[in-house]
Amino acid sequence: MIEIDPQDLADRYMAQWTEPDAAERRAAVERLWAADGTHVLQPPVEIRESAAGLGFRHPTLEAQGHDAIEIRVASSYERFVAKQGITFRARPDAMRLQGLVRFGWEAVSAESGEVVGGGSEILVLDDEGRIRTDYMFPGT
């Protein structure tokens, strides 16, 4: 596996979510993610409760491949950055253990600078240092 700086990767990962230019977002996805990479999101409480009512004990939301991940990132940008004035940043706590990188992140009001949310990520990397699987835990 190639050497990577886990904090640099965390910062570049978070930057893709706040990139206003669609072409640059796509380029960031292609640089960061393996072609068949998978983004796995722990759904918000409302979705988990709804799914539990349907008999799903541990629901997840997944996007696989550059096209699906690009749609996921663009949708998040539109909802949180463009419409709500939120920006995202990695906490300075990124750590690497073999092929895993773990870090926390914050959602910040661009207007007030107040931290309004956050979460944590566990990235599984391929041999080229690209994201093979991303486990996102909002609210942690």
Side-chain angles (χ1 to χ4, degrees):
M1 174 156 308
I2 67 168
E3 285 299 313
I4 59 159
D5 176 330
Q7 192 64 51
D8 176 66
L9 176 61
D11 292 339
R12 290 185 297 120
Y13 172 88
M14 295 311 298
Q16 77 181 329
W17 300 93
T18 60
E19 174 55 56
D21 182 85
E24 286 298 318
R25 272 196 308 268
R26 174 62 185 217
V29 166
E30 290 180 1
R31 282 190 303 271
L32 286 166
W33 295 81
D36 62 347
T38 303
H39 179 263
V40 182
L41 171 69
Q42 178 188 32
V45 171
E46 311 82 53
I47 293 175
R48 291 194 310 261
E49 288 173 352
S50 228
L54 297 172
F56 294 98
R57 294 182 52 116
H58 304 288
T60 60
L61 303 175
E62 295 186 21
Q64 184 172 25
H66 287 163
D67 291 344
I69 292 167
E70 178 185 9
I71 290 168
R72 167 78 182 104
V73 171
S75 296
S76 178
Y77 175 85
E78 287 302 319
R79 178 176 179 192
F80 298 109
V81 180
K83 291 183 179 170
Q84 296 182 29
I86 302 292
T87 190
F88 301 103
R89 67 182 179 211
R91 293 185 191 122
D93 63 354
M95 297 186 326
R96 179 176 178 181
L97 180 61
Q98 295 181 352
L100 299 176
V101 172
R102 181 193 59 82
F103 64 94
W105 54 271
E106 298 173 328
V108 181
S109 167
E111 185 177 309
S112 69
E114 178 185 353
V115 174
V116 295
S120 60
E121 303 288 322
I122 298 173
L123 307 178
V124 180
L125 306 179
D126 67 11
D127 290 339
E128 296 170 3
R130 289 197 171 114
I131 301 166
R132 185 172 64 224
T133 309
D134 166 18
Y135 296 99
M136 178 182 272
F137 301 89
T140 60

